[in-house]
CSV table of all heavy atoms in Angstrom, one decimal:
chain,number,residue,atom,x,y,z
A,200,ASP,N,-9.8,-41.9,7.0
A,200,ASP,CA,-9.9,-41.6,5.5
A,200,ASP,C,-9.8,-40.1,5.2
A,200,ASP,O,-9.3,-39.8,4.1
A,200,ASP,CB,-11.3,-42.1,5.0
A,200,ASP,CG,-11.4,-43.6,5.0
A,200,ASP,OD1,-10.4,-44.3,5.3
A,200,ASP,OD2,-12.5,-44.1,4.7
A,201,MET,N,-10.3,-39.2,6.1
A,201,MET,CA,-10.3,-37.8,5.7
A,201,MET,C,-8.9,-37.2,5.5
A,201,MET,O,-8.7,-36.2,4.8
A,201,MET,CB,-11.0,-37.0,6.8
A,201,MET,CG,-10.3,-36.9,8.1
A,201,MET,SD,-11.2,-35.7,9.2
A,201,MET,CE,-10.3,-35.9,10.7
A,202,PHE,N,-7.9,-37.9,6.0
A,202,PHE,CA,-6.5,-37.4,5.9
A,202,PHE,C,-5.8,-37.7,4.5
A,202,PHE,O,-4.8,-37.2,4.2
A,202,PHE,CB,-5.7,-37.9,7.0
A,202,PHE,CG,-6.1,-37.3,8.4
A,202,PHE,CD1,-6.7,-38.1,9.3
A,202,PHE,CD2,-5.9,-36.0,8.7
A,202,PHE,CE1,-7.0,-37.7,10.5
A,202,PHE,CE2,-6.3,-35.5,9.9
A,202,PHE,CZ,-6.9,-36.3,10.8
A,203,HIS,N,-6.4,-38.7,3.8
A,203,HIS,CA,-5.7,-39.1,2.5
A,203,HIS,C,-6.2,-38.4,1.3
A,203,HIS,O,-7.4,-38.3,1.1
A,203,HIS,CB,-5.9,-40.6,2.4
A,203,HIS,CG,-5.4,-41.5,3.5
A,203,HIS,ND1,-4.1,-41.5,3.9
A,203,HIS,CD2,-6.0,-42.3,4.4
A,203,HIS,CE1,-3.9,-42.3,4.9
A,203,HIS,NE2,-5.1,-42.8,5.2
A,204,HIS,N,-5.2,-38.0,0.5
A,204,HIS,CA,-5.6,-37.4,-0.8
A,204,HIS,C,-6.2,-38.4,-1.7
A,204,HIS,O,-7.2,-38.1,-2.4
A,204,HIS,CB,-4.3,-36.8,-1.4
A,204,HIS,CG,-4.6,-36.1,-2.8
A,204,HIS,ND1,-5.4,-35.1,-2.9
A,204,HIS,CD2,-4.1,-36.4,-4.0
A,204,HIS,CE1,-5.5,-34.7,-4.2
A,204,HIS,NE2,-4.7,-35.5,-4.9
A,205,GLU,N,-5.6,-39.6,-1.8
A,205,GLU,CA,-6.2,-40.7,-2.6
A,205,GLU,C,-6.1,-42.0,-1.7
A,205,GLU,O,-5.1,-42.6,-1.7
A,205,GLU,CB,-5.4,-40.9,-3.9
A,205,GLU,CG,-5.5,-39.7,-4.8
A,205,GLU,CD,-4.6,-39.9,-6.0
A,205,GLU,OE1,-3.4,-39.7,-5.9
A,205,GLU,OE2,-5.1,-40.2,-7.1
A,206,ARG,N,-7.2,-42.3,-1.1
A,206,ARG,CA,-7.2,-43.4,-0.2
A,206,ARG,C,-6.9,-44.8,-0.9
A,206,ARG,O,-6.1,-45.6,-0.3
A,206,ARG,CB,-8.6,-43.6,0.5
A,206,ARG,CG,-8.6,-44.7,1.6
A,206,ARG,CD,-9.9,-44.8,2.2
A,206,ARG,NE,-9.9,-45.8,3.3
A,206,ARG,CZ,-10.0,-47.1,3.2
A,206,ARG,NH1,-10.1,-47.6,1.9
A,206,ARG,NH2,-9.9,-48.0,4.2
A,207,ALA,N,-7.4,-45.0,-2.1
A,207,ALA,CA,-7.1,-46.3,-2.7
A,207,ALA,C,-5.6,-46.4,-3.0
A,207,ALA,O,-5.0,-47.5,-2.8
A,207,ALA,CB,-7.8,-46.3,-4.1
A,208,ARG,N,-4.9,-45.4,-3.3
A,208,ARG,CA,-3.4,-45.5,-3.5
A,208,ARG,C,-2.7,-45.7,-2.2
A,208,ARG,O,-1.7,-46.3,-2.1
A,208,ARG,CB,-2.9,-44.2,-4.2
A,208,ARG,CG,-3.3,-44.0,-5.6
A,208,ARG,CD,-2.7,-42.8,-6.3
A,208,ARG,NE,-1.3,-43.1,-6.7
A,208,ARG,CZ,-0.4,-42.2,-7.1
A,208,ARG,NH1,-0.8,-40.9,-7.0
A,208,ARG,NH2,0.8,-42.5,-7.5
A,209,ALA,N,-3.3,-45.1,-1.1
A,209,ALA,CA,-2.7,-45.3,0.2
A,209,ALA,C,-2.8,-46.7,0.6
A,209,ALA,O,-1.8,-47.3,1.2
A,209,ALA,CB,-3.4,-44.4,1.3
A,210,VAL,N,-3.9,-47.4,0.3
A,210,VAL,CA,-4.1,-48.8,0.6
A,210,VAL,C,-3.1,-49.6,-0.2
A,210,VAL,O,-2.4,-50.5,0.3
A,210,VAL,CB,-5.5,-49.3,0.4
A,210,VAL,CG1,-5.6,-50.8,0.5
A,210,VAL,CG2,-6.5,-48.6,1.3
A,211,ALA,N,-3.0,-49.3,-1.5
A,211,ALA,CA,-2.0,-50.0,-2.4
A,211,ALA,C,-0.6,-49.8,-1.9
A,211,ALA,O,0.2,-50.8,-2.1
A,211,ALA,CB,-2.2,-49.5,-3.8
A,212,SER,N,-0.2,-48.7,-1.4
A,212,SER,CA,1.1,-48.5,-0.9
A,212,SER,C,1.5,-49.4,0.3
A,212,SER,O,2.7,-49.6,0.5
A,212,SER,CB,1.4,-47.0,-0.5
A,212,SER,OG,1.4,-46.2,-1.7
A,213,LEU,N,0.5,-49.9,1.0
A,213,LEU,CA,0.8,-50.9,2.0
A,213,LEU,C,1.5,-52.1,1.5
A,213,LEU,O,2.3,-52.7,2.2
A,213,LEU,CB,-0.5,-51.2,2.8
A,213,LEU,CG,-1.1,-50.1,3.6
A,213,LEU,CD1,-2.4,-50.5,4.2
A,213,LEU,CD2,-0.1,-49.6,4.7
A,214,ASP,N,1.1,-52.5,0.3
A,214,ASP,CA,1.8,-53.7,-0.4
A,214,ASP,C,3.3,-53.4,-0.6
A,214,ASP,O,4.1,-54.3,-0.5
A,214,ASP,CB,1.1,-54.0,-1.7
A,214,ASP,CG,-0.3,-54.6,-1.5
A,214,ASP,OD1,-0.5,-55.3,-0.4
A,214,ASP,OD2,-1.2,-54.5,-2.3
A,215,VAL,N,3.6,-52.1,-1.0
A,215,VAL,CA,5.0,-51.7,-1.2
A,215,VAL,C,5.7,-51.9,0.1
A,215,VAL,O,6.8,-52.5,0.2
A,215,VAL,CB,5.1,-50.3,-1.7
A,215,VAL,CG1,6.5,-49.8,-1.8
A,215,VAL,CG2,4.4,-50.2,-3.0
A,216,LEU,N,5.2,-51.4,1.2
A,216,LEU,CA,5.8,-51.5,2.5
A,216,LEU,C,5.9,-52.9,3.0
A,216,LEU,O,6.9,-53.3,3.6
A,216,LEU,CB,5.0,-50.7,3.6
A,216,LEU,CG,5.0,-49.2,3.3
A,216,LEU,CD1,4.2,-48.5,4.4
A,216,LEU,CD2,6.4,-48.6,3.2
Side-chain angles (χ1 to χ4, degrees):
D200 292 355
M201 68 174 177
F202 293 111
H203 300 299
H204 180 60
E205 296 175 283
R206 185 182 184 277
R208 293 184 80 192
V210 173
S212 286
L213 293 172
D214 289 331
V215 176
L216 296 179

